[in-house]
Amino acid sequence: MAILWVLMALLMLSFVLLPTLRRRRGMIEQVPPDHPDAADPADYGFVRQEELDVRMPGPDQDLLDVLDLVQRTQDYRAAAQLLAGTETEGESRWQRVQAFAGAAALELRQRPGGVHETPGGQWLRVWRAEQPKDAGAAAVHAEFLVQQAWRTSEPGTDEFRIIMEEAREACAQAALLAPGDPVPHIVELSVARGLAYSQPEFEKLWLKILDRAPVHMGAHLAALHYWCAKWHGSRELAYSFAEAAAARAPQGSLLAAMPLFAVFEHLPEVNLVSSFYQSEVVTKAIHGALHAVHAARPDDPMQAHVRHLLVFFLVRAERWAEAMDQLIHVDGHVGALPWILSADPAAEFALHRALAVAGYEANGGSPATLPS
C-alpha cells in the first residue's frame, strides 16, 4: 500500500507544479527504475521504460521495417511501394503518411544541413522530385510541411503562416493526384486550425472528408481540435461534435470513443479532486470508449489510440484492474495521446503504468491474477 500512496502523492503534486502548459497537463514526475518502490514491469511481462517505442501507438511491423530501410539507405522506393499498397479509405494510410512525414521532419531537425552536410530527410525531397505524380509522395510532403510549421514556428507568426500556406497548396496538389483519397483533406484539417479557417470554410472541408470516409477515426480526431475551446470553437461545440460522431457510429466503430477525447481536450489546468475522474461526464465517456474497443475489430489500427487514453483516465479514476487490462493490449508502444504531449513520453507512460500496477496489487491483484 505504501507504494500506491507514494505514487499517488507524486501524481497529485504534479497537478500543482506543472499546470502552466495545457498541452503538458498529463506530465508527472517519474519514479527512477532503481527506486525501491518502483514496480518491476517485467513481473507482468511489460516492456521496460528504456525499451518503449515512442514512434507509434501500436505495432505496424511493415511500417517499421520500411522506415528502418528508408532511413538506413535514404532510398524512398520502399515507402512508395508500401503506401501504394495501402488502401486509401482506411486508417493505416493516414497513420503511415504521418509516420513517414514525422521521420523526415525528425531527420531534418537532427541534421539541418550546411555547407558540407546534406540535410536530413533528403529521401522525401528526392521522392517528390522524381515521382511528381505519386499521390503518396504528395500526401507525405503535405503532412511534412504541416509538422514543420507546428514544430519550428509559433502560430500567428509570419513564418508559421508562410509554411502553412505552402502546406495548403501541397494538400490541394495531393488531392488532385488522388481524388478519392481522404488523406490530403485530413492533412488540411491541421492547416485549417493553424490558419483559422472560418467555420463555414472548415465545414466545407469536413464534408469532403465525410464524402470519402465518413467513419474515419483519425479524421474525426483531427477535426475535434478545431472545435475545441483553445482553438476556434468551445467546449460545448467540441462536446457536440464528439457526441454526434458517437451517436452515428456504426457497430464496431471506434467513433463511440470520441467523447473521451473531447473530455481530455478540455481537462482543467489544475484538478486536485480525484473524484473529478469519477464524475458522471468522465465515467460516461470512459464507458463509451470501453464499449468501443470491445466492439471494434482486433486489427483496427485506431484501437491503440483509444486504449492509451483509457489508461490515462482509468488510472486517475482509480479503476486499476481495467487500466491493467488496457495496458496488456498497448504496452510496448507509446506514440499516442496523452503521452506524446510530454517531453518524455516513455517516462509519462511508465509512471501511469506503475500507478496501475501499484493500485492493482493494493487491491489484491498479482501477476497470477492478471488475465492473459
Side-chain angles (χ1 to χ4, degrees):
M1 181 65 76
I3 176 180
L4 177 57
W5 288 113
V6 169
L7 291 172
M8 287 302 292
L10 284 171
L11 182 60
M12 291 301 102
L13 181 61
S14 72
F15 289 150
V16 177
L17 297 179
L18 298 174
T20 54
L21 295 179
R22 180 183 294 268
R23 299 303 295 175
R24 293 185 180 182
R25 56 183 167 272
M27 187 185 295
I28 44 185
E29 292 294 335
Q30 173 64 290
V31 177
D34 57 353
H35 191 282
D37 283 338
D40 187 351
D43 290 344
Y44 289 84
F46 293 147
V47 176
R48 293 190 179 278
Q49 178 181 327
E50 61 271 19
E51 298 172 353
L52 291 168
D53 191 327
V54 302
R55 294 173 294 179
M56 298 187 302
D60 183 341
Q61 195 57 51
D62 289 342
L63 174 59
L64 287 178
D65 291 343
V66 169
L67 271 175
D68 289 342
L69 179 62
V70 168
Q71 294 188 301
R72 184 174 69 254
T73 65
Q74 291 295 295
D75 187 331
Y76 68 83
R77 285 177 293 182
Q81 184 177 7
L82 181 64
L83 281 185
T86 304
E87 63 173 347
T88 57
E89 295 83 5
E91 306 281 354
S92 291
R93 183 176 178 84
W94 165 231
Q95 293 196 41
R96 288 172 173 178
V97 165
Q98 286 184 301
F100 286 130
L106 180 59
E107 283 186 38
L108 182 59
R109 184 173 64 184
Q110 293 172 337
R111 301 193 311 277
V115 178
H116 302 294
E117 181 185 36
T118 300
Q122 183 68 18
W123 55 269
L124 176 55
R125 286 181 283 277
V126 174
W127 184 9
R128 192 74 182 98
E130 291 186 354
Q131 303 290 336
K133 302 299 183 182
D134 187 325
V140 173
H141 179 239
E143 174 65 17
F144 169 82
L145 290 170
V146 167
Q147 293 193 26
Q148 281 295 96
W150 290 111
R151 292 182 182 190
T152 64
S153 54
E154 290 292 326
T157 64
D158 288 342
E159 180 185 7
F160 181 84
R161 176 166 288 278
I162 288 171
I163 301 175
M164 277 297 188
E165 290 288 0
E166 186 179 356
R168 175 155 60 178
E169 178 59 29
C171 289
Q173 293 174 5
L176 287 175
L177 291 172
D181 187 353
V183 170
H185 303 294
I186 298 173
V187 175
E188 192 180 351
L189 290 174
S190 188
V191 176
R193 177 162 55 97
L195 293 181
Y197 282 21
S198 68
Q199 290 189 4
E201 189 177 8
F202 183 87
E203 288 169 346
K204 181 179 179 180
L205 170 62
W206 182 239
L207 286 176
K208 292 180 181 179
I209 296 170
L210 290 182
D211 285 343
R212 293 162 176 79
V215 294
H216 197 290
M217 180 71 172
H220 280 78
L221 291 177
L224 177 64
H225 291 300
Y226 177 91
W227 295 113
C228 287
K230 59 180 171 287
W231 288 106
H232 310 297
S234 64
R235 175 178 174 175
E236 292 72 25
L237 285 172
Y239 275 43
S240 177
F241 174 81
E243 289 165 2
R248 67 172 182 270
Q251 179 66 24
S253 169
L254 287 166
L255 289 179
M258 284 298 298
L260 189 64
F261 287 88
V263 170
F264 177 76
E265 291 295 338
H266 294 87
L267 287 179
E269 292 281 2
V270 180
N271 186 1
L272 299 178
V273 182
S274 61
S275 61
F276 169 81
Y277 291 94
Q278 300 166 353
S279 65
E280 182 179 356
V281 64
V282 175
T283 298
K284 182 180 178 182
I286 288 175
H287 286 169
L290 286 170
H291 172 76
V293 296
H294 290 153
R297 301 190 328 269
D299 63 345
D300 190 318
M302 293 303 293
Q303 267 223 36
H305 289 272
V306 180
R307 290 188 185 277
H308 277 291
L309 198 61
L310 275 168
V311 169
F312 174 88
F313 277 99
L314 290 169
V315 165
R316 292 169 183 242
E318 301 179 12
R319 296 168 61 167
W320 313 115
E322 291 169 290
M324 293 293 285
D325 180 56
Q326 300 306 316
L327 285 166
I328 293 171
H329 291 89
V330 298
D331 190 73
H333 297 83
V334 297
L337 286 175
W339 326 122
I340 57 174
L341 301 182
S342 166
D344 190 342
E348 185 81 355
F349 173 84
L351 182 51
H352 280 77
R353 184 177 63 186
L355 282 164
V357 170
Y360 184 64
E361 292 183 345
N363 288 274
S366 71
T369 61
L370 189 66
S372 59

